[in-house]
Amino acid sequence: MLFRMHPARAVVMAFAVTIVAGATLLALPVAARDGQPTDLVQALFTATSAVCVTGLVVVDTGEHWSGFGQGVVLALIQVGGFGIMALASLLALLIAGKLRLRMTLSAQTETKSQGIGDVRRLLTRVALVTLVVEGVTAAVLILRFFLHYGTPFHEALWDGVFHSISAFNNAGFSLNPDSLERYAADPWITLPIAVAVILGGLGFPVIIELLRHRARRRATGRIGWSLHLKLTLGTTALLLFLGSLLTLLLEWSNGATLGPLHTGEKVLNAFFHSAMSRTAGFNSVDVGSMEQATLLSTCVLMFIGGGSAGTAGGIKVTTFAVLGAAILAEVRGEPTSGIFRRRLAPHVLRQALTVALLGVGLVIGATIALLTLVDHEFEVVLFEAVSAFGTVGLSAGLTGELPALGELIVILLMFVGRLGPITLVSALALRERTQRFQHPEERPIIG
């Protein structure tokens, strides 16, 4: 039945089934350290946050969940990060040896591959990249925990594996109650995690294209990057730099965040916060103690998110870049917009605008709903809503205080934020058709 569904519905159904299965397992007594069943809403919240690779929590991951519960959370993160449709497509390939057209399109809905092509090869490369990045990151963390901090090897092994998978999948789940604040001055912990987060946030098409062009460059000596690759890398680098600079300037003398740190440590943690704001969710300083201006700039970074077809959320950096190009073209009075000497198709602009405006609407609606339920400052509630929509996981301290209805609102926001842009763009592309007539043109006053 799943193979005959509309691709957008298949993606939503697969994620929903996985979340329900995860919540069921987390609600079992064996999943909690105290041996008592976990509240169903809390289990559902945790499962949704894990599958949608968000990182917001209502119970402490390391203290509340048993080894079994933590294993379930980690499995949900890995499955959600890789993509239910990618796993379903790979399974179908292994069983049937080939895919039907609609299932192939379902895989494209999640992977954003540029053609039907060889799905088997694509998914194999995605799996290989995932294992390599997570494996290298885990090895560095394990050695650091074991050799420098004296952590027993079995604990260092679990901590390293858990945080590496959580980092590459941009989930932001940590086994520590203070996330990574205890390692704020340790670049051997924060930098590997930041690199894994950035790689996961770039998106699999970008990583695979970089690897392919590296091999092609060795053979021909030429580089031919696609527009998507240029947009993703350029916008990501720009946002990382601006986010680091703003955090550094705004929090330099804040005694509760960067103030007590040395200059090098301030730069390190400003960069780390900028990288985590791109939908990772780890924090090395207290987010709730940040200045209001920093919270607002972080909201902007969280809303934009990372690259398409990766583990990041948000409206995606390519959407942001396309909208920026359209604004620049309009200011210049140019009839069309383009980037890197490439003209952007009109339907691409419409899709980008649709995704961005729907994202704004979802965040505003959720913020209004949460403001009616909690007695908190507006900026804190807005921060939490944007964090949920962007599947970031950074929290200013509100999530743990939400009532059950507030938790359900955030659950819905995480789910829509993870799947909304993906299913929306794919649905728009599938519905694209030739229009055999045109209405009379008229120009209303704008601005």
Side-chain angles (χ1 to χ4, degrees):
M1 188 68 181
L2 182 64
F3 291 86
R4 298 182 179 181
M5 280 187 180
H6 185 285
R9 294 180 181 177
V11 172
V12 173
M13 182 63 68
F15 270 81
V17 169
T18 305
I19 288 172
V20 171
T24 302
L25 292 175
L26 291 176
L28 297 175
V30 69
R33 284 189 180 275
D34 59 6
Q36 299 297 318
T38 300
D39 178 77
L40 188 58
V41 175
Q42 293 180 340
L44 181 63
F45 189 102
T46 304
T48 305
S49 184
V51 173
C52 297
V53 290
T54 304
L56 290 174
V57 296
V58 288
V59 294
D60 185 86
T61 305
E63 294 183 0
H64 178 82
W65 303 113
S66 64
F68 173 80
Q70 293 176 15
V72 171
V73 170
L74 194 63
L76 294 176
I77 291 172
Q78 187 72 83
V79 170
F82 188 80
I84 296 298
M85 285 298 94
L87 291 178
S89 301
L90 183 58
L91 181 61
L93 279 170
L94 294 175
I95 295 175
K98 61 181 179 178
L99 289 179
R100 295 180 55 177
L101 175 62
R102 294 189 66 83
M103 192 59 201
T104 305
L105 291 177
S106 297
Q108 287 183 295
T109 299
E110 180 64 13
T111 63
K112 296 290 191 307
S113 53
Q114 297 301 314
I116 292 180
D118 190 346
V119 179
R120 184 198 302 268
R121 185 182 306 170
L122 172 66
L123 296 181
T124 300
R125 289 176 177 175
V126 169
L128 182 61
V129 169
T130 301
L131 292 175
V132 169
V133 176
E134 291 177 352
V136 172
T137 306
V140 175
L141 296 178
I142 291 169
L143 290 175
R144 189 62 174 174
F145 289 143
F146 178 66
L147 298 177
H148 183 75
Y149 292 97
T151 306
F153 184 76
H154 67 282
E155 294 181 14
L157 177 64
W158 178 241
D159 284 354
V161 170
F162 189 97
H163 286 91
S164 66
I165 293 177
S166 183
F168 181 68
N169 289 286
N170 280 210
F173 278 84
S174 176
L175 298 177
N176 308 315
D178 61 351
S179 189
L180 300 179
E181 290 183 32
R182 64 186 65 184
Y183 306 117
D186 190 349
W188 289 98
I189 297 295
T190 55
L191 284 182
I193 288 178
V195 171
V197 165
I198 293 171
L199 289 175
L202 286 177
F204 292 119
V206 169
I207 298 175
I208 292 174
E209 185 177 347
L210 284 173
L211 295 175
R212 184 186 300 124
H213 280 297
R214 182 183 179 186
R216 185 176 302 172
R217 184 183 181 185
R218 289 178 178 177
T220 65
R222 294 181 299 176
I223 300 177
W225 286 0
S226 68
L227 178 61
H228 175 77
L229 177 60
K230 294 177 181 178
L231 284 180
T232 303
L233 292 181
T235 309
T236 296
L238 178 63
L239 293 177
L240 280 172
F241 173 74
L242 292 179
S244 302
L245 182 62
L246 279 175
T247 303
L248 192 63
L249 294 176
L250 295 173
E251 298 295 323
W252 183 273
S253 58
N254 187 342
T257 55
L258 299 184
L261 302 177
H262 300 299
T263 300
E265 295 171 351
K266 289 181 179 181
V267 174
L268 171 65
N269 285 274
F271 169 77
F272 186 81
H273 178 73
S274 179
M276 297 308 107
S277 300
R278 311 297 310 295
T279 76
F282 294 108
N283 62 282
S284 59
V285 295
D286 185 10
V287 176
S289 300
M290 286 184 166
E291 303 290 347
Q292 292 183 351
T294 311
L295 293 178
L296 180 58
S297 64
T298 303
C299 283
V300 174
L301 294 175
M302 293 192 299
F303 185 78
I304 296 173
S308 299
T311 54
I315 64 171
K316 308 303 191 227
V317 293
T318 46
T319 303
F320 177 72
V322 166
L323 293 176
I327 293 173
L328 185 60
E330 187 63 31
V331 170
R332 291 176 173 177
E334 298 173 351
T336 59
S337 59
I339 307 176
F340 295 116
R341 297 183 180 181
R342 292 293 186 272
R343 180 170 54 88
L344 297 175
H347 74 274
V348 173
L349 301 178
R350 295 197 303 269
Q351 290 177 2
L353 185 61
T354 302
V355 170
L357 289 181
L358 283 180
V360 171
L362 286 168
V363 169
I364 292 176
T367 302
I368 293 174
L370 291 174
L371 283 171
T372 63
L373 298 175
V374 298
D375 184 20
H376 264 277
E377 298 83 356
F378 166 75
E379 63 271 11
V380 173
V381 178
L382 175 64
F383 187 93
E384 225 75 8
V386 176
S387 180
F389 169 77
T391 65
V392 180
L394 289 175
S395 175
L398 174 63
T399 301
E401 303 175 10
L402 289 173
L405 182 57
E407 292 179 3
L408 292 175
I409 292 173
V410 175
I411 288 173
L412 180 61
L413 194 57
M414 290 189 293
F415 188 76
V416 175
R418 176 68 172 116
L419 297 176
I422 296 174
T423 54
L424 173 65
V425 172
S426 64
L428 288 174
L430 290 171
R431 287 203 306 267
E432 196 171 303
R433 59 184 182 273
T434 302
Q435 188 171 347
R436 301 184 183 277
F437 65 91
Q438 288 186 341
H439 295 290
E441 182 179 288
E442 189 168 348
R443 298 185 179 184
I445 299 175
I446 302 296

